[in-house]
Amino acid sequence: MTDKFGGVAPRYQQVPFGRPIMRVGASREGCSLEIGGILMGEQVAPDHFRIVDFSVDETTGTAAHFVRSPDHHAQALDIFFRKTGSDFKRFNYLGEWHSHPSFPVRPSHEDVISMQSLVNGERDIDFSALLIVRLRYFLHLEAAAYMFVRRAAPANVALTI
């Protein structure tokens, strides 16, 4: 099976997560700046992850771009690992998230390049999810997730809310 990016869809099909990240990411509809952070989660079954925490960086975004602050998010990861007993096989970094207040919830060319360099780089990250959220007309929430896997094309991920 192929996805709309033209690659083979990965086995990461369910990413259940709570509504808080969507409220945070979408709550700034009146603001045209992108915000975002990192996703931290639990592996609940093979290829099935649950987002249990996330960081928020509201200071480094522009109208069309978000780059997270490494220091801010490293601290969030340290706290997360302490809370979860450093059980890295079960609880770990899942990926990135950001809002697209003025654009569709699809990765931009820059998003794709950034995520692919993350998983194809030297950091020993085999996969990373990208969640993009947007609030429209004050009520309509849009969200989409994408999986980036080392040496593979990006693929859509099914979200369970």
Side-chain angles (χ1 to χ4, degrees), residues 2 21 28 44 49 52 56-57 71 89 101-102 117 119 141 158:
T2 61
I21 191 169
R28 296 179 39 135
V44 295
F49 300 90
V52 295
V56 179
D57 182 344
D71 294 336
K89 288 190 183 285
S102 305
S117 69
V119 297
L141 179 68

Side-chain angles (χ1 to χ4, degrees), residues 41-56:
E42 174 185 17
Q43 184 169 4
V44 295
D47 302 330
H48 187 153
F49 300 90
R50 181 174 67 93
I51 297 171
V52 295
D53 204 354
F54 59 94
S55 65
V56 179

Side-chain angles (χ1 to χ4, degrees), residues 83-151:
K83 288 191 313 189
T84 58
S86 297
D87 182 357
F88 302 119
K89 288 190 183 285
R90 182 174 168 199
F91 297 98
N92 216 318
Y93 164 88
L94 285 182
E96 312 282 319
W97 77 272
H98 65 267
S99 63
H100 272 191
S102 305
F103 302 102
V105 290
R106 287 189 309 270
S108 66
H109 178 72
E110 191 169 314
D111 290 337
V112 171
I113 289 171
S114 175
M115 295 302 292
Q116 286 179 326
S117 69
L118 182 67
V119 297
N120 291 324
E122 299 174 6
R123 291 188 179 176
D124 198 29
I125 298 173
D126 292 326
F127 72 91
S128 186
L130 174 61
L131 174 66
I132 302 173
V133 297
R134 178 182 186 195
L135 183 64
R136 301 194 60 197
Y137 312 114
F138 299 102
L139 296 172
H140 180 71
L141 179 68
E142 296 176 349
Y146 305 88
M147 185 60 64
F148 293 80
V149 179
R150 187 171 292 184
R151 293 183 288 282

